[in-house]
Amino acid sequence: MSAASEAPSPEPSISAIYIAAPEGDTGKSTIALGILHRLAANVARVGVFRPITRLNEDRDYILELLLAHATADLSYEDCVGVGYQQLHEDTDGAIAEIVDRYHRMAAACDAVLIVGSDYTDIATPTELSVNARIAVNLGAPVLLAVRAQDRTPEQIAQVVEVCTAELAAQHAHTAAVVANRCDPAQLDAVRTALTELLPNGPKCFVLPEEPLLVAPSVAELQRAVDGTLIQGDPAMLHREVMDVLVAGMTAEHVLERLTEGVAVITPGDRSDVVLAMVSAHAAEGFPSLSALILNGGWELHPSIAALVSGLGLSLPMIATDLGTFATASRVAATRGRVTAASHRKIDTALQLMETYVDTSDMLEQLAIPIPTVVTPQMFTYRLLERARADRKHIVLPEGEDDRILISAGRLLQRGVADLTILGDEAQVRGRAAELGVDLSGATVIDPRTSDLRERFAEQYAEMREHKGVTLEQAREIMLDVSYFGTMLVYNDMVDGMVSGAAHTTAHTVRPAFEIIRTQPDVSTVSSIFLMCLSDRVLAYGDCAIVPDPTAEQLADIAISSARTAARFDIEPRVAMLSYSTGTSGAGADVEKVKRATELVRQRQPDLLVEGPIQYDAAVEPSVARTKMPDSPVAGRATVLIFPDLNTGNNTYKAVQRSAGAVAIGPVLQGLNKPVNDLSRGALIEDIVNTVAITAIQAQGGS
């Protein structure tokens, strides 16, 4: 190595960390995801850089996975350094190019996660040294990842000792050590061994082996055996295969060996096994299969194929020309990847990091400054963190909706909330299993058969007696999942409810009006949207509930919105919006806003409120200096109250679509207990965020 080829080592960067490993299969993706999410919760623009990758070949799946979670506006091409071949041919020149490309991309970031090589193309004893040299030249401390699988605590400690010495020899600073994929029974022993090895050295963490993270998907097995999907739902190809069973025995013995998520391999002419497998998959009390692989090039007998097709099962059936041995060998050699589409694996990886690694402590030495902005990613991450800190129990009435089931699995996996799901238990759990969703931690209640139905009917009939509701009518009403779920909230069996993915807003909200009712000092149920802009979060109210509020209702909405905003760490500065600022205009609508502003000041003297005020004067300091220079709210408003639903609904949608804002809501406010509505077009992330918001509301009252 020539002295001129090595760039001067800068002081360690305060905004980057380099994940390096001495071998393959260390689970760097798991570690990287956890660190990336923690960085995104603390700084606005987090980038990812792969110094060595497969340029001009297949796209790097690890980089694509991490870019899906990064927050800096950078392309795939911006985030790669050099190819393996270039590194082979001219190591010094390649490192110089890596440094140049890194600094170009890092200029657009507040923090960068750098992920080292994968030991797939240059598996040599010097690879860790190369990664160490790159880390030094990028000014990044190193997180060392080692594989603990199939090693004793002493062997793991020996690997770490050799690696940290090698890193030190290259003048790299080791910030932390993570021993990944450890036998769960050895976690404490490995942790002790590493602590004794490095008593004054870097922090050491140990992650247990999680079979799901290395489980291949059905699609990966299909590719491995050159198979063709002949039956089943293509959407189920993403499901992870947790075990493989070669059905070389009679059907009854195959049935005895079935486990959850197993893929069964059998020749296509074994009609007895095929019928037994599809029957078991459909039957209550049997495990849910992930796939049926038919080998040997045999086509199903026409009668069997017609029978299987008529069952309408979503179970993927894959045909391959390979023989039994070749099929089993290829399947056994297939190792699953964590990709951008592996949502269950991603949630599992994040949960592992949150449970076993103190990422906040690990990142303290990066000395990342306290941010002055709040990005959508930072805000939503903090929502989940707050919900986890004091777990509440939320009911999801729409158990027949796949989005609800997938969201429930994510919420349970991340420990965001305890859940009750309404619906037929066999159908709910069966469909969840087909989707690859673990609902073992959820309670499932069927209102049609629940013993609670009669109790709830009696309560509802009594509270609605003045409206002429009879007990018989109440029994019928309690079959409605929205009413049944609301009664669970009313009786403190759960802390809140989230519904609306498959129902209208009115269908979700009406039971809450009737049963939960409003808080004592608020007579108006309203809503806000939490509008996550690129650099801040604003509260918009009311954009969903009250069509044409009176001055008194506007005052209620303003006060409720300020309270809700404060609950989510938004300092409330309330702007009562109008087409006029101050005394510049007149008219009935302006007078309504003026009167509402006076009422807010009377009821909440300590609340910063301004109105009437136009939107630009409320949020833009330069306009505020011209129109309302002495106002403590103008130009700095965080809670914006619209004069009517037409204005509010259109404005929030315009900002959402035109400015690329993330709109979380509507968040209902003013109720005695939290109930929140979903859009019928809600995405999985929308549902997860709304449940987290509902849980946070329940932590301090709605």
Side-chain angles (χ1 to χ4, degrees):
M1 179 183 74
S2 65
S5 66
E6 195 81 24
S9 299
E11 290 299 313
S13 168
I14 63 167
S15 59
I17 189 163
Y18 193 115
I19 301 178
E23 57 198 330
D25 295 336
T26 57
K28 291 199 301 295
S29 300
T30 296
I31 300 167
L33 275 170
I35 294 175
L36 185 59
H37 268 245
R38 174 58 69 178
L39 285 171
N42 287 278
V43 295
R45 302 174 302 166
V46 182
V48 181
F49 187 67
R50 283 281 265 171
I52 312 167
T53 190
R54 299 171 187 83
L55 293 178
N56 303 319
E57 299 179 25
D58 293 338
R59 287 168 74 88
D60 188 306
Y61 77 93
I62 292 180
L63 179 57
E64 290 199 318
L65 163 68
L66 297 176
L67 283 177
H69 297 261
T71 53
D73 186 18
L74 294 166
S75 70
Y76 178 96
E77 290 72 22
D78 292 330
C79 300
V80 294
V82 302
Y84 286 98
Q85 189 62 37
Q86 183 178 348
L87 191 71
H88 276 306
E89 295 171 352
D90 180 10
T91 302
D92 293 342
I95 291 177
E97 184 169 343
I98 287 170
V99 171
D100 180 63
R101 292 187 64 83
Y102 168 77
H103 283 293
R104 273 186 273 161
M105 67 82 61
C109 305
D110 299 311
V112 181
L113 176 66
I114 308 165
V115 183
S117 54
D118 291 331
Y119 290 75
T120 55
D121 295 80
I122 53 169
T124 70
T126 62
E127 186 168 357
L128 181 62
S129 296
V130 171
N131 280 278
R133 283 180 59 192
I134 295 170
V136 169
N137 277 270
L138 300 185
V142 172
L143 183 152
L144 174 66
V146 300
R147 178 173 52 81
Q149 184 189 38
D150 299 328
R151 286 174 173 157
T152 65
E154 293 74 21
Q155 290 171 328
I156 297 167
Q158 289 171 4
V159 171
V160 171
E161 184 175 23
V162 170
C163 291
T164 52
E166 181 62 34
L167 291 170
Q170 296 296 331
H171 308 290
H173 171 64
T174 305
V177 175
V178 177
N180 196 9
R181 306 187 62 199
C182 179
D183 180 346
Q186 292 192 330
L187 288 177
D188 290 338
V190 173
R191 199 175 291 114
T192 299
L194 294 180
T195 302
E196 291 175 352
L197 172 68
L198 303 167
N200 301 310
K203 294 288 182 70
C204 297
F205 305 94
V206 185
L207 291 175
E209 173 76 306
E210 172 50 67
L212 176 70
L213 294 177
V214 295
S217 67
V218 176
E220 287 171 324
L221 293 192
Q222 180 183 346
R223 288 192 293 272
V225 301
D226 299 321
T228 302
L229 181 69
I230 59 171
Q231 293 277 357
D233 184 355
M236 296 299 100
L237 293 176
H238 75 277
R239 185 178 179 186
E240 291 82 10
V241 177
M242 300 308 298
D243 198 3
V244 177
L245 176 62
V246 180
M249 67 288 288
T250 57
E252 60 269 23
H253 294 303
V254 180
L255 290 172
E256 292 173 347
R257 290 165 172 78
L258 294 181
T259 56
E260 191 69 27
V262 69
V264 177
I265 300 172
T266 189
D269 63 345
R270 286 291 303 272
S271 298
D272 60 327
V273 174
V274 171
L275 289 177
M277 294 305 98
V278 296
S279 299
H281 180 76
E284 187 175 349
F286 278 85
S288 173
L289 279 61
S290 59
L292 186 58
I293 301 176
L294 308 177
N295 68 270
W298 299 96
E299 293 185 2
L300 289 176
H301 187 279
S303 297
I304 301 297
L307 180 58
V308 171
S309 179
L311 291 173
L313 298 180
S314 58
L315 174 68
M317 298 179 65
I318 295 166
T320 176
D321 291 335
L322 299 175
T324 300
F325 179 78
T327 301
S329 297
R330 290 198 186 186
V331 166
T334 304
R335 184 176 184 272
R337 291 175 167 182
V338 183
T339 68
S342 308
H343 300 300
R344 187 181 176 196
K345 288 183 177 179
I346 290 169
D347 290 330
T348 301
L350 292 175
Q351 184 269 335
L352 278 176
M353 285 291 288
E354 288 159 359
T355 302
Y356 293 97
V357 178
D358 186 347
T359 49
S360 296
D361 184 42
M362 180 191 296
L363 296 175
E364 271 186 8
Q365 53 199 298
L366 297 182
I368 295 173
I370 297 173
T372 57
V373 300
V374 178
T375 67
Q377 291 82 4
M378 294 164 68
F379 184 74
T380 55
Y381 185 93
R382 292 171 188 176
L383 285 181
L384 302 186
E385 287 283 284
R386 287 188 58 186
R388 264 195 298 268
D390 181 13
R391 278 175 67 160
K392 295 301 179 182
H393 195 148
I394 307 300
V395 60
L396 303 173
E398 298 163 317
E400 74 288 349
D401 193 301
D402 284 357
R403 293 168 297 167
I404 294 295
L405 300 181
I406 295 169
S407 300
R410 297 187 68 175
L411 290 158
L412 292 168
Q413 181 67 55
R414 301 290 305 279
V416 175
D418 297 321
L419 299 177
T420 289
I421 302 170
L422 301 188
D424 179 275
E425 183 161 14
Q427 292 180 7
V428 167
R429 295 197 184 277
R431 182 56 179 165
E434 288 185 339
L435 293 168
V437 172
D438 181 6
L439 290 186
S440 58
T443 300
V444 180
I445 299 176
D446 187 346
R448 298 173 303 173
T449 59
S450 173
D451 294 339
L452 294 171
R453 179 185 167 199
E454 184 65 21
R455 171 183 165 184
F456 289 172
E458 291 174 358
Q459 288 178 319
Y460 184 74
E462 182 178 348
M463 70 176 67
R464 302 295 289 175
E465 184 179 10
H466 66 287
K467 293 291 187 179
V469 175
T470 66
L471 180 58
E472 190 58 37
Q473 289 173 327
R475 290 187 180 117
E476 288 299 311
I477 290 171
M478 285 306 117
L479 291 173
D480 186 305
V481 292
S482 290
Y483 276 93
F484 192 94
T486 304
M487 290 301 293
L488 287 172
V489 179
Y490 174 77
N491 283 281
D492 294 324
M493 295 176 178
V494 298
D495 300 302
M497 182 175 87
V498 173
S499 189
H503 295 91
T504 65
T505 295
H507 190 261
T508 299
V509 174
R510 187 182 300 112
F513 287 171
E514 296 178 2
I515 298 167
I516 304 246
R517 299 176 183 170
T518 60
Q519 294 172 343
D521 62 340
V522 176
S523 59
T524 305
V525 174
S526 60
S527 72
I528 65 167
F529 277 88
L530 297 171
M531 302 297 295
C532 301
L533 305 176
S534 61
D535 60 350
R536 55 185 161 163
V537 180
L538 302 176
Y540 281 13
D542 173 14
C543 303
I545 302 296
V546 187
D548 188 14
T550 64
E552 289 72 17
Q553 289 175 316
L554 266 184
D556 271 348
I557 293 168
I559 291 169
S560 294
S561 298
R563 291 175 181 172
T564 305
R567 184 159 294 130
F568 294 101
D569 298 326
I570 301 170
E571 183 181 353
R573 293 187 291 273
V574 181
M576 308 293 287
L577 298 176
S578 172
Y579 60 77
S580 169
T581 293
T583 59
S584 66
D589 291 338
V590 176
E591 291 303 315
K592 180 177 77 169
V593 173
K594 187 180 297 184
R595 171 63 179 152
T597 305
E598 293 170 354
L599 289 172
V600 172
R601 287 174 174 151
Q602 292 171 13
R603 291 171 56 185
Q604 299 284 314
D606 296 332
L607 180 61
L608 292 177
V609 60
E610 189 66 74
I613 186 172
Q614 292 163 292
Y615 190 98
D616 58 349
V619 300
E620 176 52 49
S622 62
V623 178
R625 283 193 293 270
T626 300
K627 294 189 174 183
M628 300 192 84
D630 299 323
S631 171
V633 172
R636 304 172 62 236
T638 56
V639 180
L640 297 112
I641 306 302
F642 295 92
D644 54 56
L645 186 58
N646 180 55
T647 307
N649 191 269
N650 278 293
T651 302
Y652 106 75
K653 289 180 177 177
V655 173
Q656 179 186 29
R657 301 302 176 186
S658 300
V662 176
I664 301 175
V667 181
L668 300 190
Q669 52 193 14
L671 292 167
N672 277 314
K673 296 180 181 180
V675 171
N676 280 311
D677 178 45
L678 296 166
S679 162
R680 276 172 284 175
L683 304 176
I684 305 300
E685 289 294 334
D686 299 328
I687 299 170
V688 169
N689 288 337
T690 302
V691 170
I693 282 173
T694 308
I696 293 168
Q697 286 180 298
Q699 290 170 359
S702 64

